[in-house]
Amino acid sequence: PSPRSSQPIGASEEALRCEIQELKQKDLALDQEIAQLLSEGYSLEELDKHISLLHEYNEIKDAGQMLLGKLAVIRGVTTKQLYPEYDLELSD
């Protein structure tokens, strides 16, 4: 049985209400952030482009991290030990 099935119905309903409230607050915060950016002169198209570029960057970074991890396993070292060899900062 799943953990939720052992909870009383009222408890799971309350948890859902809390989660819905948190999501509503996040939605409001994001709307406020978008309004702030728009007031600073950004356009929705520009924001969409930045988001798209960030997704692409993260995918490339994830692939690089995966390759570094595999190389570290092959060499029997930690990923951290490879960073200087490839002129990478630990914050990269």
Side-chain angles (χ1 to χ4, degrees), residues 34-70:
I34 289 170
Q36 175 67 31
L37 291 169
L38 291 173
S39 74
E40 292 173 5
Y42 293 97
S43 69
L44 287 177
E45 294 79 18
E46 187 177 10
L47 293 173
D48 286 340
K49 179 67 175 170
H50 283 283
I51 289 169
S52 175
L53 290 172
L54 282 171
H55 283 296
E56 184 177 350
Y57 166 80
N58 283 329
E59 288 173 5
I60 293 168
K61 183 177 176 182
D62 289 346
Q65 290 292 330
M66 183 181 68
L67 289 172
L68 274 177
K70 288 181 184 267

Side-chain angles (χ1 to χ4, degrees), residues 2-87:
S2 71
R4 288 188 176 227
S5 64
S6 63
Q7 292 179 343
I9 293 174
S12 62
E13 287 179 4
E14 184 59 30
L16 286 174
R17 280 191 200 94
C18 288
E19 188 174 347
I20 289 169
Q21 186 60 33
E22 288 174 13
L23 290 171
K24 285 180 179 180
Q25 290 173 346
K26 286 180 182 179
D27 184 48
L28 179 61
L30 288 172
D31 285 344
Q32 290 172 343
E33 189 175 340
I34 289 170
Q36 175 67 31
L37 291 169
L38 291 173
S39 74
E40 292 173 5
Y42 293 97
S43 69
L44 287 177
E45 294 79 18
E46 187 177 10
L47 293 173
D48 286 340
K49 179 67 175 170
H50 283 283
I51 289 169
S52 175
L53 290 172
L54 282 171
H55 283 296
E56 184 177 350
Y57 166 80
N58 283 329
E59 288 173 5
I60 293 168
K61 183 177 176 182
D62 289 346
Q65 290 292 330
M66 183 181 68
L67 289 172
L68 274 177
K70 288 181 184 267
L71 184 59
V73 168
I74 290 168
R75 291 189 181 177
V77 297
T78 66
T79 304
K80 182 178 177 180
Q81 290 171 310
L82 294 176
Y83 273 59
E85 184 177 337
Y86 295 98
D87 297 321

